[in-house]
Amino acid sequence: MSRHTFVFSSTALRSLELEREAVERENVHKRWQSHCVKLRRRGEVPELGKKQRELHRPLLCEDRLIHNALYTGDSERVRCFFSRGTVVDVVIEASGNELQWTSQKLGIWSLCYKQEFTCPLQITASRGYATSLQHLLSCGAEVDFAPGGKTALHEACENAQAECVRLLLSYEANPNALSEDGYTPLHLCSSSESLQCAKHLLAFGGHVNSRTEDKDDTPLHIAARFGLEEHVELYLGYGASINRMNDCGQTPLHCVCAQSHSHEDAERYYRVCKLLIEKGASVMVLEEEQQSALHLACRTANYRMVDLLLHKGIDVNRMDYGGNAPMHKALQAVAYKLEHQPERTIRSLLNYGSIRIWPGAIPKVLRYCSRSPRTIEVLINVYDRIKVTDAWMEAVPLKVLQEHQEFYDSLFALSQTPRCLQHLARCAIRSHFEGRCQEVVPYLPLPAVLRDYLLLRFQDFVN
């Protein structure tokens, strides 16, 4: 019955309001009990008797003044609301970042932000309100209270609040507590700003080789995936296992090579890759799809990473389960990674003895890679003779043809003109070295310009 249908007295309205609040509190308690059951199954919460369950039943705080004081870091008002002897470990419902379908009144479903549990300790720790956090802890707040599945320590690490992390640990917060998703606080140190948080955790006994429940990642896997060089160095200094595999068979080296990143971050990811290899990471390990680190680096088009792996002797022509060699992975990435200069990756692969593209597939390559003329140039320059057909011209979009007119004019002119003598000599020398060009050519007693030419220097035309 709607309150707008009939005229209700103020007493009746208050009674309805109290009934609604009671139902909401009961729903919170039910969801909280369901959460505790999950934790007990993992052995993190002891089984409680009936009387104990009543005593441990969390209180739902709906006071907006308290919420406002906590979320704004108003330490004076926090002191007023929470003092010694008052209940500090209250539960607060907050809107999360995830959307979900929720049934509203009159049977209407709507897309709302998922309601999540939090508490005063988590709110202040996640926002870096160290003064308020200190007061709550001194008032007896349970330091590992986790109504939403994460402790305050998880929240502080996720938001890189180093002072709050230190404070929580000094009050004996568990540095190895598992969140509902199976992450320790160390797994949530996933930004460059969180380095000090990671140092505090390790100093207080955090396990450097702990694993996540979903992917079996160690903190080193996560640091490598986010390109965090200082974190990687820190974890290795504490004995992190450098070649441990996650549930996909990936080592930290696979993680750094596989992670897509911007052109601006390419140098940072290269340094992490180099650090891992210098510290003993194996370049020969294959993940579950039989991909090597080279397959993954070619897909992200980080040419410096590719050069490093090739220099370390990784197999340039190994096929994965899908029948793809690193060259195939590199070509598949060209159209999406133009800012990474994918032609450099292609050139390195060819100089280290990669298989060449079957001439019959060149029209397809032109269709997908024509926006990178230098990629086409280096692929064509490993043949001493090749038949240019009408299919080549039809494969290049008109807009691309107009944008790179000079290069494609020189390419299509090969249909009527043989390759120049200089190019034929280059092909003969490269064939003689049989895939060892990058190892041998730099030491030949030739002018630097000729050595560069033998190693497929870009000219922006073909002849």
Side-chain angles (χ1 to χ4, degrees):
M1 183 182 295
S2 171
R3 68 172 62 191
H4 302 295
T5 306
F6 300 100
V7 177
F8 287 91
S9 66
S10 59
T11 303
L13 287 174
R14 179 57 180 161
S15 177
L16 289 172
E17 189 68 22
L18 290 173
E19 184 178 354
R20 182 188 65 79
E21 291 178 359
V23 170
E24 287 184 358
R25 281 196 295 271
E26 187 60 30
N27 288 337
V28 169
H29 293 153
K30 287 179 180 178
R31 292 200 294 274
W32 169 251
Q33 288 167 357
S34 175
H35 170 65
C36 287
V37 168
K38 291 181 183 178
L39 294 180
R40 278 198 293 275
R41 286 173 181 168
R42 287 166 26 190
E44 294 182 26
V45 175
E47 194 69 46
L48 302 175
K50 183 177 180 180
K51 182 175 286 189
Q52 289 174 308
R53 282 198 297 271
E54 291 298 320
L55 291 173
H56 283 77
R57 217 173 179 189
L59 297 177
L60 176 65
C61 176
E62 295 183 320
D63 192 322
R64 299 299 177 188
L65 293 176
I66 295 178
H67 295 184
N68 187 60
L70 291 169
Y71 281 107
T72 58
D74 189 337
S75 57
E76 291 299 322
R77 298 181 72 186
V78 169
R79 286 193 183 93
C80 293
F81 292 130
F82 299 98
S83 58
R84 289 188 181 275
T86 63
V87 178
V88 181
D89 297 322
V90 295
V91 174
I92 297 170
E93 276 197 295
S95 295
N97 295 322
E98 298 180 13
L99 288 169
Q100 66 175 7
W101 288 102
T102 305
S103 177
Q104 303 293 332
K105 296 176 182 178
L106 305 177
I108 298 174
W109 287 78
S110 62
L111 199 58
C112 302
Y113 283 103
K114 181 180 178 181
Q115 292 300 109
E116 296 179 348
F117 294 125
T118 186
C119 66
L121 214 60
Q122 290 174 309
I123 294 171
T124 53
S126 65
R127 286 162 173 75
Y129 302 146
T131 303
S132 296
L133 180 64
Q134 171 77 68
H135 175 72
L136 293 170
L137 289 168
S138 66
C139 289
E142 171 54 51
V143 72
D144 288 326
F145 186 44
K150 291 179 182 177
T151 67
L153 188 57
H154 284 97
E155 297 281 2
C157 290
E158 189 170 21
N159 292 281
Q161 302 295 347
E163 179 57 26
C164 291
V165 169
R166 186 200 61 77
L167 190 57
L168 289 163
L169 289 168
S170 69
Y171 274 81
E172 300 184 353
N174 182 2
N176 299 305
L178 282 179
S179 69
E180 192 173 37
D181 296 328
Y183 287 75
T184 67
L186 202 56
H187 290 118
L188 299 180
C189 294
S190 56
S191 66
S192 57
E193 295 79 14
S194 66
L195 178 63
Q196 193 60 44
C197 298
K199 288 181 178 179
H200 289 323
L201 289 168
L202 292 170
F204 277 83
H207 297 161
V208 75
N209 285 316
S210 57
R211 292 170 174 259
T212 61
E213 288 188 354
D214 58 348
K215 295 181 180 178
D216 229 18
D217 282 333
T218 65
L220 187 59
H221 282 91
I222 293 174
R225 189 173 293 128
F226 284 94
L228 304 177
E229 184 180 6
E230 291 179 306
H231 287 65
V232 169
E233 196 160 11
L234 174 67
Y235 297 157
L236 291 174
Y238 272 84
S241 180
I242 199 166
N243 288 313
R244 179 167 289 182
M245 297 182 182
N246 61 16
D247 65 351
C248 295
Q250 292 187 341
T251 65
L253 182 61
H254 287 112
C255 290
V256 69
C257 291
Q259 185 63 34
S260 181
H261 51 267
S262 66
H263 175 63
E264 292 73 22
D265 290 332
E267 174 65 22
R268 180 162 58 89
Y269 276 85
Y270 163 73
R271 290 199 305 269
V272 173
C273 179
K274 183 179 179 183
L275 176 61
L276 288 169
I277 292 175
E278 288 175 348
K279 296 294 184 178
S282 173
V283 300
M284 302 302 177
V285 178
L286 304 177
E287 45 99 271
E288 65 177 4
E289 294 183 2
Q290 295 299 296
Q291 294 186 105
S292 67
L294 183 59
H295 283 91
L296 303 172
C298 286
R299 191 172 63 186
T300 57
N302 190 318
Y303 69 87
R304 294 196 66 193
M305 209 181 283
V306 169
D307 283 340
L308 178 62
L309 292 167
L310 290 168
H311 180 70
K312 294 296 179 179
I314 199 166
D315 188 348
V316 72
N317 287 316
R318 174 175 281 279
M319 298 286 185
D320 64 13
Y321 272 156
N324 292 312
M327 175 61 78
H328 299 120
K329 295 290 185 180
L331 289 173
Q332 291 165 11
V334 168
Y336 310 101
K337 300 287 186 179
L338 293 177
E339 72 280 4
H340 286 261
Q341 297 178 286
E343 64 273 8
R344 290 176 175 264
T345 295
I346 304 297
R347 182 175 65 181
S348 293
L349 292 171
L350 291 169
N351 284 335
Y352 275 93
S354 171
I355 55 173
R356 300 183 298 180
I357 297 301
W358 175 54
I362 289 179
K364 183 177 181 180
V365 173
L366 280 167
R367 188 173 300 113
Y368 292 105
C369 304
S370 57
R371 291 175 59 206
S372 174
R374 285 186 166 184
T375 295
I376 305 302
E377 175 188 345
V378 76
L379 289 171
I380 296 300
N381 278 341
V382 294
Y383 296 97
D384 57 359
R385 64 180 69 85
I386 195 165
K387 184 179 180 180
V388 180
T389 66
D390 292 340
W392 289 31
M393 303 176 193
E394 295 168 0
V396 181
L398 180 60
K399 183 177 180 180
V400 176
L401 191 63
Q402 292 172 342
E403 186 177 352
H404 305 285
Q405 187 73 50
E406 186 176 349
F407 171 78
Y408 283 109
D409 283 347
S410 70
L411 176 64
F412 298 146
L414 297 181
S415 62
Q416 302 173 350
T417 308
R419 304 301 298 266
C420 68
L421 183 59
Q422 186 179 22
H423 171 72
L424 296 176
R426 172 170 62 183
C427 288
I429 295 172
R430 289 179 61 86
S431 177
H432 176 73
F433 292 137
E434 296 181 347
R436 295 182 296 116
C437 293
Q438 193 65 55
E439 301 171 16
V440 176
V441 169
Y443 300 100
L444 293 178
L446 295 172
V449 65
L450 288 180
R451 291 199 298 269
D452 290 343
Y453 183 76
L454 288 173
L455 293 175
L456 304 175
R457 182 188 73 240
F458 300 116
Q459 296 177 292
D460 296 320
F461 65 89
V462 291
N463 56 11

